[in-house]
Amino acid sequence: MLFNMIQSIMSGNGVNMSTLISGIFAMLLIIFLILPLHECAHGWVALKLGDNTAKYQGRLTLDPIASMDPMGTLCLLLFGYGWAKPVPVDPRNFKNPKRDMALTALAGPLSNLIAALVGALVLRILVLPFHMNLATPVWQFFSFYIGINISLAVFNLLPIPPLDGSKIVGGFLSSQALYNYYKYQNVISLILIMVLFMGFLDLPLTFLNNLFYNGINAVADLPFRLFGFV
């Protein structure tokens, strides 16, 4: 996100201050509320499936400091894609380790999609029933907020360690394949950051983001269509 704005400034196109401020406020809300919610969702589902590691280590919390990962936060600010400090999960406490680990991993991206849907509903509640014309910064804020949540969900669903998608895929792999999958996790993480910086993932991520964005907006429109507001 900020990386694109910096590129725009360096190319001489400049940046609209209203857009910049709205984007910063949306990003701060994501960092201090939604990222902790994402991690808390992992811990809560793990607890329900039999693993209380996150609870005992104090990670079932919305405290942003407990969930903040410096590199993940930096990537979020620069590119709109990032991650938080993972909650501790011990699959040995699960009745079905592979399945339950996949469900625990899925809870994070799902929380982002729910947060995006809530944002889309709030925007419609403010606008549609009363035919309000919101100020441009408000529209921009909600647009950023919804878009970033969807971006986080899509990004974390990528089947690349250490992202949530790798753990979801892991539920379908053999033990040996799973071991090999995570053997070079740290190297893969560095490569992932480089690929993001070079823009190689822009096209597939943009396609998936638009797909989810349209889906979220379609779902958010449903209750208002029933009452004739849309």
Side-chain angles (χ1 to χ4, degrees), residues 8-221:
S8 178
I9 293 173
M10 293 182 66
S11 65
N13 294 326
V15 174
N16 183 282
M17 287 303 297
S18 175
T19 301
L20 177 62
I21 292 171
S22 298
I24 290 174
F25 272 106
M27 192 68 72
L28 290 175
L29 181 63
I30 297 292
I31 291 172
F32 288 103
L33 178 61
I34 302 303
L35 288 184
L37 177 65
H38 177 111
E39 294 305 321
C40 191
H42 286 312
W44 183 80
V45 171
L47 180 64
K48 293 301 179 181
L49 293 174
D51 177 41
N52 54 17
T53 306
K55 179 181 179 181
Y56 280 134
Q57 294 191 19
R59 290 299 307 277
L60 282 182
T61 175
L62 294 179
D63 179 4
I65 303 302
S67 300
M68 193 169 292
D69 179 280
M71 183 58 70
T73 302
L74 179 61
C75 284
L76 180 60
L77 287 169
L78 289 175
F79 310 115
Y81 303 103
W83 56 90
K85 185 187 299 181
V87 296
V89 176
D90 189 346
R92 294 174 297 181
N93 294 324
F94 293 141
K95 292 181 180 179
N96 187 327
K98 287 185 180 179
R99 181 203 65 190
D100 294 348
M101 190 67 230
L103 291 173
T104 298
L106 181 61
L110 186 58
S111 72
N112 288 117
L113 293 177
I114 293 173
L117 178 59
V118 170
L121 288 170
V122 170
L123 179 58
R124 283 157 176 77
I125 290 171
L126 291 175
V127 176
L128 295 176
F130 308 105
H131 302 285
M132 292 176 59
N133 292 318
L134 295 183
T136 299
V138 177
W139 278 101
Q140 291 172 335
F141 169 82
F142 277 100
S143 179
F144 277 118
Y145 170 80
I146 296 167
I148 294 169
N149 267 298
I150 292 173
S151 295
L152 286 173
V154 168
F155 178 71
N156 277 285
L157 285 171
L158 292 177
I160 303 172
L163 301 178
D164 296 328
S166 66
K167 299 178 180 65
I168 297 171
V169 170
F172 301 93
L173 299 178
S174 67
S175 298
Q176 183 59 45
L178 195 59
Y179 170 79
N180 293 330
Y181 196 47
Y182 286 110
K183 187 176 181 180
Y184 301 103
Q185 176 173 316
N186 292 334
V187 175
I188 294 174
S189 298
L190 290 175
I191 294 174
L192 176 61
I193 293 172
M194 292 177 61
V195 167
L196 277 175
F197 183 79
M198 298 175 72
F200 292 146
L201 289 177
D202 286 356
L203 188 60
L205 287 175
T206 298
F207 171 78
L208 291 173
N209 285 342
N210 289 337
L211 190 66
F212 276 95
Y213 192 89
N214 292 334
I216 289 289
N217 280 310
V219 172
D221 281 339

